Amino acid sequence: MSRKNQTLGEFIIENQSSFKYTSGELSRLINSIRLAAKVVNHEVNKAGLVDIIGAAGDTNIQGEDQQKLDVYANEKFIQTLTNRNIVCGIASEEEDDFISINSQDENNQNKYVVLIDPLDGSSNIDVNVSVGTIFSIYRRVTPVGTPVTIDDFLQKGNQQVAAGYVVYGTSTMLVYTTGDGVNGFTLNPALGTLYLSHPNMQFPEDGNIYSINEGNYNHFPQGVKDYLKYCQKEEDNRPYTSRYIGSLVSDFHRNMIKGGIYIYPKSSKNAAGKLRLLYECNPMAYIAEQANGKASDGFTRILDIEPTELHQRVPFFCGSTNMVEKAEEFMQNAE
Ligand code: P6P
């Protein structure tokens, strides 16, 4: 049940009973993510004013230059989730290994683990383009009160109990699902309150926007090249429009509202693509499917992929169902 302009807090309370694990713990977890998002938003919004932008001088496990805000966002989300003693484990794009949150304490009855990309699209920070946070939530699979293991994190995407993103854009929004549709909340910066602005978000079945880094065209698989030529052909409602922000969360968010497809394929430069399965593709795929969209690696449903390692990458095709299925058709025909 939702009504426009109710606050996130009211929405969580009113919809808690619809969540099959009505323990209230997930509600507290979503609330802690809300708090961390508001803290990060405050820093992102003034990044140009203080010496917090620019590289932190380190690189993460991905070998990518860590922007200072990457590090800050990572610390804030981990700190908030730890201090509120809600989860038993955290995995982050910015952390080499998963973090056990005193789960060896038999009094720790926490049953959720969170996987997070604390600041996706961070290369856009210095040029004032939207960035985002992506999170994925599972119930642990090892016994409560014992130390978490890698098995608690290497779960298929179809086991997620919740997933969402924050987009720090012209306005800051929290968009998430707990398996009963997708709802978007917009921050009123004057009040620091998130209001339900986009109830029951749905991907249009079709669209005319495609998002891909065409600079890598020569390195794409033939099926992707064929699909791009299809998008660009003067025929029916084509050529489509090419829009690529370079921030997954922003491209995904626009496509969910207007219709479209986002593709980050494998290439001769990235054998498995660039995006990470556990804390980018799985949460965005869960949201996409909950919004009647689709997400695959070009052949297999993202949520059915068996994870093998924490930072593994997969090719990613996601968006309006008819567009993803057309792209998959070109991928299969080129095999
Ligand atoms: P490229 C950001 O680093 C990210 O993970 C996504 O948010 C974005 O869509 C993609 O990578 C951009 O990658 O190689 O096109 O610059």
Side-chain angles (χ1 to χ4, degrees), residues 49-61:
L49 299 176
V50 295
D51 177 32
I52 196 164
I53 56 179
D58 296 331
T59 58
N60 61 20
I61 188 170

Side-chain angles (χ1 to χ4, degrees), residues 64 93 117 119-124 130-132 134 211-216 244-252 262-264 269-270 274-276 280 313:
E64 294 166 341
E93 177 187 276
D117 181 356
L119 208 65
D120 180 71
S122 53
S123 56
N124 286 316
S130 302
V131 292
I134 307 171
S211 306
I212 188 169
N213 183 342
E214 292 187 72
N216 298 321
Y244 191 67
I245 299 171
S247 226
L248 166 61
V249 170
S250 303
D251 282 314
F252 179 99
Y262 171 97
I263 302 175
Y264 208 105
K269 291 198 297 184
N270 295 310
K274 176 183 181 184
L275 301 187
R276 295 76 166 182
E280 289 176 323
R313 302 171 193 265

Side-chain angles (χ1 to χ4, degrees), residues 36-301:
K38 290 198 284 192
V39 171
V40 170
N41 175 66
H42 182 67
E43 289 304 316
V44 166
N45 281 350
K46 66 179 187 179
L49 299 176
V50 295
D51 177 32
I52 196 164
I53 56 179
D58 296 331
T59 58
N60 61 20
I61 188 170
Q62 330 293 339
E64 294 166 341
D65 290 343
Q66 276 188 315
Q67 301 288 330
K68 286 179 183 173
L69 266 176
D70 269 346
V71 175
Y72 178 82
N74 187 50
E75 286 168 1
K76 281 303 157 199
F77 275 96
I78 291 173
Q79 185 183 67
T80 307
L81 291 168
T82 303
N83 294 348
R84 291 211 163 175
N85 187 24
I86 300 171
V87 298
C88 53
I90 301 172
S92 168
E93 177 187 276
E94 303 303 331
E95 300 289 334
D96 296 357
D97 201 355
F98 63 83
I99 300 167
S100 176
I101 310 289
N102 53 50
S103 60
Q104 66 287 349
D105 170 1
E106 67 275 6
N107 297 319
N108 180 331
Q109 299 302 306
N110 297 337
K111 50 181 171 296
Y112 293 113
V113 296
V114 180
L115 298 95
I116 195 161
D117 181 356
L119 208 65
D120 180 71
S122 53
S123 56
N124 286 316
I125 294 167
D126 290 355
V127 295
N128 202 12
V129 168
S130 302
V131 292
T133 296
I134 307 171
F135 62 90
S136 171
I137 301 171
Y138 292 85
R139 291 167 68 83
R140 68 180 298 176
V141 293
T142 52
V144 167
T146 65
V148 288
T149 73
I150 189 65
D151 295 339
D152 292 307
F153 298 92
L154 296 186
Q155 299 186 54
K156 285 184 180 180
N158 57 34
Q159 296 303 303
Q160 291 175 96
V161 294
Y165 61 83
V166 182
V167 50
Y168 308 99
T170 44
S171 59
T172 294
M173 283 191 69
L174 168 65
V175 177
Y176 80 97
T177 181
T178 55
D180 189 23
V182 178
N183 292 285
F185 298 81
T186 299
L187 179 68
N188 177 333
L191 303 177
T193 304
L194 284 152
Y195 289 90
L196 179 63
S197 53
H198 297 68
N200 191 26
M201 298 182 81
Q202 301 264 304
F203 266 100
E205 264 195 337
D206 252 315
N208 61 12
I209 296 172
Y210 66 96
S211 306
I212 188 169
N213 183 342
E214 292 187 72
N216 298 321
Y217 179 85
N218 292 331
H219 304 283
F220 286 156
Q222 189 57 44
V224 173
K225 291 179 178 176
D226 295 342
Y227 178 64
L228 291 180
K229 290 307 167 206
Y230 167 84
C231 292
Q232 295 156 1
K233 192 170 181 181
E234 295 276 350
E235 190 180 60
D236 301 333
N237 62 336
R238 286 168 283 130
Y240 295 154
T241 296
S242 173
R243 286 284 183 275
Y244 191 67
I245 299 171
S247 226
L248 166 61
V249 170
S250 303
D251 282 314
F252 179 99
H253 188 76
R254 183 209 50 246
N255 289 346
M256 183 154 65
I257 292 170
K258 296 195 168 188
I261 184 171
Y262 171 97
I263 302 175
Y264 208 105
K266 70 177 184 180
S267 72
S268 48
K269 291 198 297 184
N270 295 310
K274 176 183 181 184
L275 301 187
R276 295 76 166 182
L277 172 62
L278 292 182
Y279 41 78
E280 289 176 323
C281 300
N282 270 340
M284 299 311 267
Y286 186 33
I287 296 165
E289 291 196 1
Q290 284 288 314
N292 288 334
K294 190 165 185 180
S296 76
D297 64 2
F299 302 94
T300 305
R301 181 184 181 229

